[in-house]
Amino acid sequence: MIERSDFSHFRCFWTLFKKEILRFFEVSGQTLIAPLITASLYLLIFGVSLGQRLSIFEHITYLQFIIPGLILMGVINNSFANTSTSLFVSRYLGNIADLLVTPITPPQMILAYTIAAMIRGMMVGGVILLVSMLFSDLPWVHPGQALIMILLSSFLFSQFGIVAAVFAKNFETMAMFTNFIILPLVYLGGLFFPVQQLPHPWNLVSHLNPLFYLIEGFRTAVCGIEGLPFTTSLTVAVLMSVSLSIWAYHLLKTRLIG
């Protein structure tokens, strides 16, 4: 038998989750269409002008090489943006107090923000995938592994978005997380080039980039490139996801909910 307190907790969770879903659909031009246009420009540039002329590996084209990275970049950026923007704006406007007076628990709060962010991230990734099919087909060597890696990437950056939203003091700080942390790590993580072919010691330095393992793991599952073992990428992704989720929980409990 469900107690009234349990029902109240679930209702708080469901209301917050529904609010998050409605929020990013309300501004679909920014949350869904803008990433689609950006990815389409990348595909046009590399697909029409360079994609058919360059070849890095024998069994895949350069365009097939970069498409998994573009999909993952869309998932990462939007998963991070959804949690970070929503939570920070609530803090900035002060309406976070309305949420904190409800009987919602930190895990329920994290779960509501996370699931909504992952839905947005996966939707953007799916749209980019559909557009990329107009330019090139992907082999999808291990589709199950690809799904696991992209879900982990979405979960990881939704947690990072919560961490960023708690630490951010203004909109400039929020922009710094995207412009000076996420984008450089994505671009230097092997999105447009194979890290294995970089000269020494830069190929080794690139292994310090956590985004390298996400991009490499997803690309390996999609294209079957023989490089970094998938188990290595998976292990790093799981460890980062667990660490960030624990950090996000600690921050929410100590700095917001109390």
Side-chain angles (χ1 to χ4, degrees):
M1 184 175 181
I2 300 176
E3 297 181 1
R4 178 172 294 183
S5 59
D6 295 330
F7 179 76
S8 298
H9 286 305
F10 175 77
R11 189 172 182 179
C12 292
F13 159 78
W14 179 251
T15 302
L16 178 59
F17 168 72
K18 187 168 66 173
K19 187 266 289 186
E20 286 300 299
I21 296 294
L22 294 175
R23 186 189 65 83
F24 75 74
F25 271 115
E26 186 70 21
V27 288
S28 57
Q30 175 185 349
T31 58
L32 297 176
I33 298 177
L36 173 61
I37 294 175
T38 302
S40 299
L41 291 174
Y42 278 121
L43 290 169
L44 283 172
I45 293 170
F46 291 102
V48 176
S49 61
L50 296 176
Q52 304 301 326
R53 301 178 185 180
L54 298 178
S55 179
I56 299 177
F57 298 94
E58 293 182 359
H59 62 289
I60 64 170
T61 64
Y62 180 65
L63 187 57
Q64 290 175 321
F65 175 83
I66 67 169
I67 286 176
L70 292 176
I71 295 173
L72 197 66
M73 182 174 67
V75 172
I76 286 173
N77 286 338
N78 284 273
S79 298
F80 172 82
N82 204 74
T83 51
S84 61
T85 302
S86 180
L87 184 55
F88 173 73
V89 170
S90 293
R91 289 182 55 228
Y92 186 81
L93 297 179
N95 57 28
I96 189 69
D98 299 330
L99 177 62
L100 297 181
V101 297
T102 66
I104 194 169
T105 63
Q108 290 173 331
M109 189 173 175
I110 291 175
L111 191 62
Y113 278 117
T114 299
I115 296 177
M118 292 180 67
I119 290 175
R120 172 179 167 181
M122 297 300 290
M123 287 180 63
V124 171
V127 170
I128 295 174
L129 173 61
L130 290 176
V131 173
S132 70
M133 293 172 63
L134 301 175
F135 297 86
S136 179
D137 293 327
L138 294 175
W140 294 104
V141 179
H142 302 290
Q145 293 180 357
L147 180 61
I148 292 172
M149 185 57 65
I150 204 165
L151 285 173
L152 277 172
S153 301
S154 181
F155 175 82
L156 192 159
F157 276 88
S158 65
Q159 303 308 293
F160 185 49
I162 294 174
V163 172
V166 173
F167 276 113
K169 299 184 182 301
N170 47 50
F171 288 99
E172 288 76 13
T173 308
M174 286 300 306
M176 287 178 60
F177 279 101
T178 300
N179 297 330
F180 296 104
I181 297 179
I182 295 179
L183 288 182
L185 290 178
V186 169
Y187 288 133
L188 297 176
L191 175 60
F192 296 112
F193 58 88
V195 170
Q196 295 87 347
Q197 297 183 11
L198 289 177
H200 185 79
W202 300 112
N203 55 351
L204 297 178
V205 173
S206 296
H207 284 70
L208 300 176
N209 182 351
L211 271 295
F212 161 72
Y213 297 93
L214 301 181
I215 296 173
E216 189 74 8
F218 184 61
R219 181 181 287 134
T220 298
V222 173
C223 299
I225 299 173
E226 295 182 2
L228 191 71
F230 178 79
T231 52
T232 301
S233 299
L234 181 63
T235 300
V236 173
V238 169
L239 290 176
M240 288 192 298
S241 298
V242 172
S243 300
L244 277 174
S245 61
I246 294 174
W247 193 12
Y249 170 79
H250 174 74
L251 289 175
L252 279 184
K253 188 174 182 180
T254 56
R255 295 200 177 195
L256 289 184
I257 297 180

